[in-house]
Amino acid sequence: MRRTDVVICLPQVGQERPRIGVVLVGGRSPLRVRWEDDGSEQDVVLDNQYKLAARHSLRYEWLLDPVAVGERIRADLAGAIIRSIEDGQVLDSRGHQDLLHVYGINLENATSAWKEATKRIAKRSDIRINRKKQYIWEPPAPPVGQLSPGTSATPEVEPEPAPIVQPEPESGTPANDQPPIEADAPEPEEGDPKSPGVDDMPQLADLIRQAAQAPLRTAVGLGRRSDSELSNLLIDLPDGQHARAAALLLPVPRDLPDAGRLGSAEVAETMLHAAADELHAADAEERVAAGWLLRRLAEAAVLTPASIASLARVIRAADAGPADIDAAVRVLAELLALTRPAETATVPLDVVVDAVSAMPLRPGSGRAAVIVAVARLWPDQVADTAWWRGASLTDVVDCAEGGLGGVTSLESVGERVIRPLVNAALVKAASRRALSHLLGLPAEFARQLPAGAVAGVFRRIGREDPTVAGWVAELSDTERADALRRDAAEAQKASAAATARAEAASQEAAGLLDRSERLEEMLRRDHDEAVGLRSAQERQIRIDVVRSLAELAAEVEELAADSTGPDVLIDRVRAMVAAHGLEPIGAAGADAAFDPAAHKPIAGRPAPGSQVTVLRPGYRWRTLDDVLVIGKALVVKQ
């Protein structure tokens, strides 16, 4: 990467201007950058917030000031195209029109601008068209006499061309169909010993054997052949061999008329598996060939879930344009969706997440589709932060409104993914606009905002913003009023309860007074009657007691004489005493829950409700007016 390449951090809500960072270590995202404003270093992933551009290029200027530079672009669309070529954008006509679309120019105006640009390009000697119909700027070399001191007119080693920074399409913008191409190799001169000819074309059988081990290296070699030479490989082949032979052309890094005739999933997956293994030690040309392989396999749509692991590995290592990578990731999502639950254990999720996490997370993107598929088959895995790596809060919110709502509403995703994002945004919030943006988030996002922290942000922003300060004052007053209303409501409720209790107590007192008067009257009558009857009653009671005791003794003696069993004896005795209103308390040998009012322990103090064993039953005497415990049952604690 050139030292003039920089990363631009677009301003988020509450920020005033973009940040510019010099790329220290890069090649593939994430990139290590040093920010020019404070000198800090950071690893960044290129996404909707972080953009890569060459310093002082048109893209660089547009990212820093899209309004002013956008006006300049619209004022001279053809000039903007030529400026992009001079900036090093290696694109064909369609690519340059798509680039204008990125800058906000509609297709009709972009087409007209391209026609005007071609007229101006035709008059330029420093712009040429390569074999792929891409436009390349070749500034004229200075005369020998004007070389700076210490330079040579004929350098011993040609410097490597710097990679071209191509703007990724914004959300909803069609991407350029061409993959990123490095600087073109010079066309071989006629008679050049390195120029391949028809006579040295390997046999088809040999090529197929080579491709089985190294399909990408084989494709790079075939890419140096002419279209006619490659077409001759497939002439007069029987149908049974055509699919395997046509697979040779899948990774060839250029447009070919015969490269799309693949109809066999077996052949496609064999080629993909071999390419995935080869990429461990692939060079730049072979990684470009892998990008073309992805494009053609995505168009063929013949892969099965068995190729998920190899497809993910190729996506991660291939050198391809964003549109081709996104198309391949979409295929990956479709294969995940076709996976049966019984096969989920065989899917290498770590390989899949490594392949898609470098892609931007946008509504309708392949990465979003993969996350949906993972949530369906592995709901316990989708909350892993690796699936959301590099995504900003805005990215996740946009995707939630564009198809990921079922995933972002999961409780685990809310806690592990959304909460850290909203908390980080809350900490960074420094303006009324940022605060309004956070308060306007969808429900599943707003739920993750801690109320105390939100109140703190209101107060912090209110120190600098009078409007927010007024909100805070009003909200504070409202809170106090609400607190007073709550206190008043509670006091009113307590007063109503006290009044109800007082009325109930008054009614109860009136009832007790009436009962007291009636009892007093009854006592007076009973006293009058008791005076005359007490002696007779006492004598009769004694007679009744003695008679009952005599009957009981006679009954027991009679039963004993008849050798009656103890059970019958007990039943007869209980029947007799029951006739006089006596009820037994327990039975000898039976278990019961200890009741201090009915049981008398012979030792210890059993807890009420604890299990005890009855040694001797007790008796209650039930009269018309009362129940009297004549004798408690003797019990022992278990």
Side-chain angles (χ1 to χ4, degrees), residues 111-155:
T111 303
S112 301
W114 178 252
K115 293 178 181 179
E116 173 63 24
T118 53
K119 297 178 183 178
R120 294 162 63 172
I121 291 172
K123 302 177 183 180
R124 300 278 296 262
S125 60
D126 55 348
I127 298 177
R128 69 176 180 87
I129 305 175
N130 66 9
R131 291 177 301 176
K132 302 176 182 66
K133 298 182 180 180
Q134 296 167 323
Y135 290 78
I136 299 176
W137 182 54
E138 293 181 340
V144 176
Q146 296 181 7
L147 292 175
S148 58
T151 59
S152 171
T154 307

Side-chain angles (χ1 to χ4, degrees), residues 6 208 231 411 508 535:
V6 296
I208 292 177
S231 297
E411 183 178 355
E508 184 178 1
S535 298

Side-chain angles (χ1 to χ4, degrees), residues 227-228 230-231 234 249 254-261 296:
D227 288 355
S228 60
L230 297 181
S231 297
L234 310 179
L249 306 182
R254 75 168 189 267
D255 288 320
L256 295 173
D258 296 320
R261 299 185 188 176
R296 288 172 177 141

Side-chain angles (χ1 to χ4, degrees), residues 33-111:
V33 302
R34 178 186 293 119
W35 299 111
E36 294 182 344
D37 53 0
D38 59 8
S40 62
E41 296 185 6
Q42 180 183 356
D43 290 329
V44 301
V45 176
L46 301 181
D47 54 15
N48 287 342
Q49 181 180 2
Y50 297 99
K51 304 293 185 180
L52 185 66
R55 194 187 294 273
H56 304 309
S57 64
L58 180 63
R59 171 179 166 77
Y60 170 88
E61 296 173 359
W62 178 73
L63 288 171
L64 293 182
D65 191 354
V67 176
V69 178
E71 290 295 332
R72 284 164 38 200
I73 293 173
R74 283 187 286 273
D76 185 6
L77 297 179
I81 293 174
I82 294 175
R83 169 73 183 278
S84 296
I85 296 174
E86 293 174 344
D87 287 340
Q89 299 285 1
V90 181
L91 302 172
D92 59 6
S93 61
R94 173 64 182 277
H96 282 291
Q97 293 175 60
D98 288 344
L99 182 56
L100 287 181
H101 197 175
V102 172
Y103 295 142
I105 309 303
N106 61 40
L107 183 60
E108 180 179 356
N109 291 339
T111 303

Side-chain angles (χ1 to χ4, degrees), residues 195-203 225-226 228-230 232-233:
S195 177
V198 178
D199 294 339
D200 62 348
M201 172 68 77
Q203 295 295 319
R225 306 284 178 171
S226 66
S228 60
E229 289 178 298
L230 297 181
N232 289 335
L233 286 173

Side-chain angles (χ1 to χ4, degrees), residues 536-593:
Q537 287 177 342
E538 290 177 354
R539 181 174 180 277
Q540 186 62 42
I541 288 172
R542 287 195 298 271
I543 293 172
D544 291 341
V545 171
V546 172
R547 182 181 292 118
S548 298
L549 183 60
E551 290 176 357
L552 177 60
E555 183 74 12
V556 170
E557 185 174 347
E558 178 186 358
L559 293 175
D562 292 340
S563 300
T564 303
D567 293 336
V568 175
L569 179 61
I570 292 173
D571 291 341
R572 294 289 296 273
V573 170
R574 288 193 172 183
M576 290 183 64
V577 299
H580 295 281
L582 292 175
E583 296 178 353
I585 300 174
D591 295 334

Side-chain angles (χ1 to χ4, degrees), residues 510-523:
L512 291 174
L513 179 60
D514 180 67
R515 182 181 178 185
S516 175
E517 292 175 351
R518 286 189 285 106
L519 290 175
E520 186 176 355
E521 179 64 26
M522 289 174 58
L523 286 173

Side-chain angles (χ1 to χ4, degrees), residues 482-501:
D482 290 342
L484 291 174
R485 280 192 290 269
R486 287 193 297 269
D487 292 343
E490 292 176 359
Q492 186 176 5
K493 186 184 299 183
S495 175
T499 301
R501 288 195 299 271

